[in-house]
Amino acid sequence: MRLIAAILVLTLVAIGAGALAGLHLFAAAERVADAKKSATPPPIASSYAGSARLRKLSPIVTNLAAPANNWARVEASMVTESMSDEDAGILAAHVSEDIVTYLRSASVTQFEGSRGLQHLRDDLTERANIRSSGKIRELIIETLVIQ
């Protein structure tokens, strides 16, 4: 009888200790969750100064050099320094013209794979930078469809 009573007392003590530990862990988890909710995320560092502006170019559709029945459609944006809207519009027209000229002299095999797309992006950015005398920081290719 004493053995059963001892086991019963130990079982009740274990249940009580487990319940207290569980409540303590639950309260600690709630404090951590509340701290994460109230914490503000760190600001995202931009590689561009405050004067940089993203300007969307109109979609460009042109045929490629080889094979002659393939067409390319490019949607791009340019990151520029602060300038008037009129100057930016003129610059965007010149850059679009350069993109058409480049694509008409290119073949489909030049754009195959990720390396081809990276070379296209680098070439177009370099051409835009030269055309703008350094006012365009980057040319971003949003979509490229070749059919």
Side-chain angles (χ1 to χ4, degrees):
M1 181 76 166
R2 280 182 144 180
L3 183 62
I4 294 175
I7 292 175
L8 184 62
V9 168
L10 286 175
T11 303
L12 291 175
V13 169
I15 290 172
L20 287 175
L23 289 174
H24 178 69
L25 287 175
F26 183 72
E30 280 186 338
R31 284 193 304 268
V32 169
D34 289 340
K36 283 186 179 180
K37 285 181 185 176
S38 64
T40 58
I44 298 172
S46 176
S47 59
Y48 302 111
S51 64
R53 210 164 150 208
L54 184 70
R55 299 177 191 272
K56 191 165 179 65
L57 300 175
S58 58
I60 299 163
V61 178
T62 185
N63 58 336
L64 299 175
N69 60 348
N70 282 5
W71 287 79
R73 182 176 196 265
V74 177
E75 290 182 16
S77 296
M78 59 184 187
V79 179
T80 64
E81 298 289 332
S82 60
M83 62 176 66
S84 69
D85 288 338
E86 184 178 330
D87 291 341
I90 292 170
L91 187 58
H94 285 298
V95 169
S96 295
E97 182 181 307
D98 283 346
I99 293 172
V100 168
T101 303
Y102 181 83
L103 290 175
R104 284 190 177 170
S105 65
S107 65
V108 174
T109 57
Q110 288 179 272
F111 308 132
E112 289 179 349
S114 60
R115 283 183 165 259
L117 186 60
Q118 184 63 39
H119 288 303
L120 171 67
R121 182 180 171 275
D122 292 342
D123 289 345
L124 292 179
T125 299
E126 183 180 351
R127 283 174 162 254
N129 198 353
I130 290 170
R131 170 66 84 165
S132 68
S133 302
K135 292 179 183 174
I136 294 179
R137 295 184 185 180
E138 185 178 4
L139 189 78
I140 301 169
I141 298 175
E142 295 172 3
T143 61
L144 171 66
V145 179
I146 298 176
Q147 14 177 335

